[in-house]
Amino acid sequence: MTTTAIPTPKATPPDIVRCAYMELVVTDLQASRDFYVDVLDLVVTEEDENAVYLRSFEEFIHHNLVLRKGPVAAVAAFAYRVRTPEDLDRAVEFYTELGCRVERNASGFTKGIGDSVRVEDPLGFPYEFFYDVQHVERLAWRYDLYTTGALVRLDHFNQVTPDVPRAVKYMEDLGFRVTEDIQDEEGTTYAAWMRRKPTVHDTAMTGGDGPRMHHVAFATHEKHNIIAICDKLGALRRSDAIERGPGRHGVSNAFYLYLRDPDGHRVEIYTQDYYTGDPDNPVVTWDVHDNQRRDWWGNPVVPSWYTDASPVLDLDGNLQPLTARTDDSEMEVTIGADGFSYTRKSEDTEEKGFKLGAQV
């Protein structure tokens, strides 16, 4: 794929601490509330007839997820907390130099959040940066409220974009670091995991038609919490919400489960990745034909996981148009015509093999 490189601004980027919340537009607010509150047990901080503000058990800021009623299911904001109020000025300078649309609201764009900057970034995503927040009760010690599948933290976002190296370079300019990626022998990059906090990622860039949101991920304490969520979904006769998993990733080493909410937004439940905070933390590169990269046990990836994603909005609330990926598709290069998944080359031969039973 040949695209125009995003220039490196001379302006200092904002000092991003972590991914902090996502604003989702949903078409049926009650159905979405039932899913995130009654099924996934997120905590309601505040709600009205147009929006529900939710947080995880260990969170002390007002929310990690906003469900806002709207006509089309989409993502309105990927929001990051910055280290100081002055970092909002840096965000304005950084994105203004890039020629991006920038808006600042001293009162915040959502309840519970103060002075904030929203931008349409060079990849077409709606990013928000904020520092000032309303503190709420942190429920980490309220074991009387914990459920067997309690979600304790917002862990990361995952974004779909056509040119992954272009996206990685821009995110590195913004201060992110690559922890893992997937490539092939020809040098095509299919996905990259990037972080600010010292875990595997705060966001990932996945190759595909974009800009779109692949998933938002919440963490549990242990993998048995994820199994409990699967059992609960089965008991509620809602197993159709399970898209993929449970399983163990190769990339990130985390235990995972992928769900689809009533609008089709993808939610990952995630736990047990690893520390990445040292300055010389090595980048892990996976071969796209290694069948353990996406699932450590070698289980196939369902096609919808590769093809489906949520649209994103511009700052006026309109759907962003998509740019097609022209580089190779991970699904197309790893799934044979007969539906079997490629495995990595064996140590003894250059021939690619297949995992029996790994049809999709």
Side-chain angles (χ1 to χ4, degrees):
M1 173 173 284
T2 302
T3 53
T4 303
I6 299 168
T8 300
K10 295 179 181 178
T12 301
D15 187 355
I16 296 169
V17 175
R18 59 170 172 130
C19 63
Y21 82 86
M22 176 171 283
E23 182 179 346
L24 285 180
V25 179
V26 299
T27 59
D28 185 330
L29 187 59
Q30 186 61 51
S32 293
R33 186 193 189 281
D34 291 346
F35 179 79
Y36 287 101
V37 177
D38 297 340
V39 177
L40 294 185
D41 298 312
L42 285 172
V43 178
V44 177
T45 302
E46 192 172 351
E47 59 185 324
D48 56 37
E49 66 275 11
N50 294 313
V52 183
Y53 300 84
L54 304 172
R55 72 185 192 274
S56 52
F57 272 79
E58 293 185 356
E59 189 56 80
F60 68 90
I61 71 172
H62 187 266
H63 56 263
N64 298 128
L65 184 66
V66 181
L67 306 176
R68 190 175 303 283
K69 185 177 180 180
V72 179
V75 179
F78 300 75
Y80 291 94
R81 186 109 195 255
V82 296
R83 196 167 302 279
T84 69
E86 292 73 28
D87 283 300
L88 297 182
D89 298 329
R90 297 186 182 99
V92 170
E93 294 168 1
F94 184 87
Y95 284 99
T96 298
E97 186 176 342
L98 283 173
C100 296
R101 181 177 173 185
V102 179
E103 291 188 1
R104 188 166 186 172
N105 189 333
S107 300
F109 295 93
T110 65
K111 292 182 178 181
I113 305 292
D115 189 10
S116 307
V117 173
R118 283 195 175 184
V119 305
E120 293 173 12
D121 85 352
L123 306 178
F125 291 98
Y127 267 22
E128 176 178 308
F129 304 95
F130 69 93
Y131 173 78
D132 185 38
V133 297
Q134 176 185 336
H135 286 208
V136 295
E137 181 186 5
R138 177 179 266 163
L139 300 173
W141 297 271
R142 289 296 307 274
Y143 292 106
D144 56 315
L145 301 178
Y146 273 59
T147 59
T148 53
L151 306 183
V152 293
R153 289 180 298 279
L154 174 69
D155 192 84
H156 63 265
F157 309 135
N158 188 304
Q159 303 169 236
V160 183
T161 190
D163 188 333
V164 175
R166 179 174 184 261
V168 166
K169 189 263 182 187
Y170 148 66
M171 294 296 285
E172 288 177 331
D173 289 343
L174 191 54
F176 284 74
R177 290 173 54 189
V178 176
T179 57
E180 303 199 28
D181 61 14
I182 296 174
Q183 299 185 28
D184 62 18
E185 292 178 342
E186 289 72 42
T188 302
T189 303
Y190 296 87
W193 285 254
M194 308 193 74
R195 66 93 175 167
R196 286 295 298 173
K197 67 183 186 305
T199 63
V200 171
H201 56 321
D202 286 273
T203 197
M205 294 295 172
T206 295
D209 299 349
R212 292 182 295 164
M213 186 275 287
H214 190 274
H215 65 263
V216 58
F218 287 89
T220 63
H221 278 147
E222 301 286 348
K223 58 182 178 289
H224 67 77
N225 302 123
I226 291 178
I227 295 170
I229 292 171
C230 293
D231 282 339
K232 182 176 181 179
L233 286 163
L236 294 173
R237 306 296 290 175
R238 298 190 64 165
S239 61
D240 57 339
I242 299 173
E243 179 186 34
R244 180 182 166 210
R248 171 80 68 182
H249 282 309
V251 176
S252 82
N253 197 41
F255 203 78
Y256 71 86
L257 172 70
Y258 291 97
L259 307 175
R260 302 293 285 271
D261 80 0
D263 278 296
H265 296 307
R266 184 180 288 106
V267 182
E268 182 182 16
I269 315 299
Y270 180 97
T271 192
Q272 299 180 341
D273 62 352
Y274 58 92
Y275 171 79
T276 61
D278 283 17
D280 57 346
N281 180 73
V283 175
V284 178
T285 293
W286 294 79
D287 179 354
V288 72
H289 292 296
D290 186 338
N291 207 42
Q292 291 184 252
R293 73 199 184 285
R294 292 293 190 180
D295 184 277
W296 186 241
W297 307 332
N299 290 323
V301 180
V302 295
S304 63
W305 192 90
Y306 284 121
T307 60
D308 296 359
S310 298
V312 303
L313 302 179
D314 65 19
L315 298 187
D316 293 320
N318 301 313
L319 292 175
Q320 286 280 33
L322 298 183
T323 299
R325 177 175 170 88
T326 58
D327 285 345
D328 287 341
S329 156
E330 183 176 349
M331 183 175 74
E332 291 175 358
V333 302
T334 57
I335 305 296
D338 57 1
F340 283 84
S341 296
Y342 283 116
T343 64
R344 62 189 177 277
K345 294 176 181 178
S346 73
E347 296 177 357
D348 302 321
T349 176
E350 287 296 302
E351 295 298 319
K352 294 186 180 73
F354 296 94
K355 180 177 180 180
L356 294 178
Q359 298 102 324
V360 294

